[in-house]
């Protein structure tokens, strides 16, 4: 598999579009994508990508140009990504929920000469002054019963250097401006292959993809990793619990990936249902992007019959840390797994020296998809790369004697109380295990005596009342005194990033400060 014959010679595809071509030749009728009743075979996906590539090339897409793709998850989205690559242009992804000023910034920053968008995104872009030409992406046109997809004969794809820039991915914005992460063709394919190998993905897998395909987690880690394995992608445009449950119970999804918050909502929804759906097709669940919530994962496992393993990576470098579910059928509580095959990790102190085994420090990575830098931002690129090329994660982690990695939190999220560091993830892990707590988030707010105070925003279990003293005593038996929250604030919900579904600590901190809860 993965070998193609061109010009009378046997070759190994070194880019994802070439791999898709080889798979379409080997298994033309095999289902590749399923979406709301629409089924797309490998040959149909390959053919649609050629059709779009031809259209985009005629509109000016070519090597060294950037083409923005802004749309909800769909079969057409994946076809468009491949099409952009086949023209030799650089795929430049934007979240479909991006605001006008974010889109305007990306258009100016990328210098994109063409935009491919669904109808909703196209309407926004066309309201912006000086926008480039926009092509509408339409699933029905490409794959519907009356599709008129035709390609001109003998229209070859552009010759693409595997080392060339393939992707500019605008992050979800933990900084004032989203960072534009650059990856090569070879790096993306290597990452997809690495995930497929460590998770043992195969042609029998049906992967539920509800994460945005504008995020590497949705595009490469799940969708591309499934397709390079000959599997089928079950596409959802939203991370709505009912849609996900249906994709597993009715469509028999085998692999589900998401963030911790998604599994919280799924567990809650399953507990609400009078008749439990059949989730027995699931063989692999992966959570990433947020600290583990072991009590929720235990509830999910009891309801769905499949444990939640972990993946720990960054848009800049992946894969990095995850589980091989065959070697570890049950995840180690609190751990993100082990360093993935093909990846490397160092743990260093503030001076950049490797720390002793078992000691916490900043994680540095090298991996199959090691980013090429930030587009038009050499200064920021230098800040996150060491002199010898390691990616600085800004995460505090430790590794036990068996090689399991434990993430203690973002260095930028650390609360400094009286000169001592407090990891929000550690405190959250303790609180989430309390029987009255459904979910908790920890932030630091100003304190005139100690610099910062540890504050817990908590969602209570139904039918329970906040007992701050009980929670304080509970934490005091499990945490050092300076880590125990000084305030417990009940909330109905926690703010989340609308693109990634991660808890938005900055928004929570601003909300609590604005409400004057600690005045």
């Amino acid at each position: 598999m993965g070998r193609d014959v061109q010009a009378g010679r046997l070759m190994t595809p070194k880019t994802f579009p070439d791999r898709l071509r080889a798979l379409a030749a080997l298994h033309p009728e095999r289902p590749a994508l399923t979406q709301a009743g629409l089924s797309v075979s490998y040959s149909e996906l390959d053919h649609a990508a050629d059709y779009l590539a031809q259209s985009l090339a005629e509109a000016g897409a070519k090597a060294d140009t950037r083409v923005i793709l802004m749309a909800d998850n769909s079969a057409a989205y994946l076809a468009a990504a491949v099409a952009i690559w086949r023209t030799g242009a650089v795929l430049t992804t934007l979240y479909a929920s991006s605001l006008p000023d974010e889109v305007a910034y990306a258009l100016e920053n990328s210098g994109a000469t063409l935009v491919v968008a669904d109808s909703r995104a196209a309407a926004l872009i066309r309201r912006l002054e000086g926008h480039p030409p926009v092509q509408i992406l339409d699933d029905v046109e490409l794959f519907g019963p009356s599709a008129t997809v035709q390609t001109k004969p003998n229209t070859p794809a552009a010759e693409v250097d595997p080392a060339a820039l393939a992707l500019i991915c605008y992050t979800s914005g933990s900084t004032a401006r989203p960072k534009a992460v650059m990856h090569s063709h070879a790096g993306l394919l290597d990452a997809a292959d690495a995930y497929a190998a460590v998770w043992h993905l195969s042609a029998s897998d049906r992967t539920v993809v509800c994460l945005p395909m504008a995020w590497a987690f949705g595009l490469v880690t799940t969708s591309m990793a499934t397709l390079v394995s000959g599997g089928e992608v079950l596409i959802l445009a939203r991370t709505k619990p009912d849609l996900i449950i249906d994709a597993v119970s009715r469509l028999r999804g085998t692999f589900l990936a998401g963030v911790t918050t998604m599994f919280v909502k799924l567990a809650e929804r399953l507990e609400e249902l009078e008749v439990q759906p059949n989730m027995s097709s699931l063989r692999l669940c992966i959570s990433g992007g947020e600290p583990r919530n072991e009590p929720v994962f235990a509830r999910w496992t009891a309801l769905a019959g499949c444990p939640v393993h972990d993946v720990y990576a960054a848009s800049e470098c992946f894969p990095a840390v995850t589980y091989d579910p065959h070697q570890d059928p049950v995840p180690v509580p609190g751990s993100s797994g082990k360093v993935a095959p093909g990846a490397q990790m160092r743990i260093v102190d503030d001076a950049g020296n490797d720390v002793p085994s078992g000691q916490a420090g900043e994680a540095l990575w090298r991996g199959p998809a090691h980013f090429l830098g930030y587009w038009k931002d050499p200064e920021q690129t230098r800040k996150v790369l060491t002199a010898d090329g390691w990616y600085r994660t800004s995460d505090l982690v430790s590794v036990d004697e068996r090689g399991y990695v434990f993430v203690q939190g973002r260095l930028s999220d650390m609360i400094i109380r009286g000169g001592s560091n407090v990891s929000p993830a550690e405190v959250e892990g303790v609180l989430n295990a309390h029987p009255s707590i459904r979910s908790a988030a920890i932030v630091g707010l100003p304190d005139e005596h100690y610099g910062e105070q540890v504050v817990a925003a908590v969602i209570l279990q139904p039918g329970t009342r906040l007992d701050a003293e009980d929670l304080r005593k509970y934490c005091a038996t499990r945490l050092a005194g300076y880590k125990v929250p000084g305030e417990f604030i009940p909330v109905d919900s926690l703010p989340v990033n609308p693109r990634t579904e991660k808890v938005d600590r900055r928004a929570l901190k601003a909300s609590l400060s604005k409400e004057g809860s600690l005045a």
Side-chain angles (χ1 to χ4, degrees), residues 65-309:
T65 64
R66 274 76 59 202
V67 177
I68 282 181
L69 178 55
M70 182 177 173
D72 285 321
N73 289 1
S74 68
Y77 188 107
L78 286 171
V82 176
I84 292 167
W85 285 329
R86 283 188 175 160
T87 68
V90 178
L91 170 64
T92 306
T93 58
L94 275 182
Y95 287 94
S97 57
S98 296
L99 299 175
D101 64 331
E102 294 173 319
V103 177
Y105 170 76
L107 289 172
E108 188 280 329
N109 177 257
S110 68
T113 56
L114 186 63
V115 176
V116 180
D118 58 20
S119 56
R120 182 168 68 97
L124 184 158
I125 291 167
R126 285 170 172 162
R127 292 196 297 269
L128 300 176
E129 185 176 351
H131 67 79
V134 180
Q135 289 208 9
I136 300 294
L137 202 56
D138 190 308
D139 281 293
V140 174
E141 177 189 348
L142 285 175
F143 304 115
S146 58
T148 57
V149 172
Q150 294 182 354
T151 54
K152 295 177 181 178
N154 303 316
T155 305
E159 282 289 334
V160 175
D161 180 358
L165 176 61
L167 174 68
I168 297 176
C169 176
Y170 283 91
T171 64
S172 57
S174 59
T175 55
R177 284 291 188 185
K179 294 176 291 186
V181 181
M182 299 189 293
H183 280 286
S184 70
H185 285 278
L188 297 180
L189 182 59
D190 287 347
D193 281 334
Y195 278 125
V198 74
W199 291 336
H200 303 276
L201 300 179
S202 71
S204 62
D205 275 303
R206 309 189 84 195
T207 299
V208 181
V209 176
C210 53
L211 299 166
M213 291 177 181
W215 187 14
F217 203 168
L219 178 62
V220 186
T221 305
T222 48
S223 297
M224 286 171 54
T226 300
L227 292 172
V228 298
S229 307
E232 182 178 0
V233 178
L234 307 180
I235 301 172
L236 301 180
R238 300 284 185 275
T239 55
K240 292 184 177 180
D242 286 341
L243 294 177
I244 297 170
I245 292 169
D246 178 71
V248 175
S249 61
R250 183 176 61 86
L251 299 179
R252 312 309 292 155
T254 65
F255 171 29
L256 172 63
V259 297
T260 299
T261 305
M262 186 193 84
F263 285 100
V264 171
K265 294 178 180 178
L266 281 169
E268 291 174 352
R269 182 58 180 145
L270 287 172
E271 289 169 341
E272 292 171 351
L273 297 176
E274 293 183 7
V275 178
Q276 288 299 302
N278 182 353
M279 310 287 278
S280 62
S281 60
L282 277 175
R283 72 162 190 87
L284 176 64
C285 292
I286 292 290
S287 176
E290 291 183 297
R292 290 181 62 83
N293 186 324
E294 298 296 353
V296 166
F297 291 166
R299 285 163 49 204
W300 164 264
T301 303
L303 291 161
C306 184
V308 181
H309 287 77

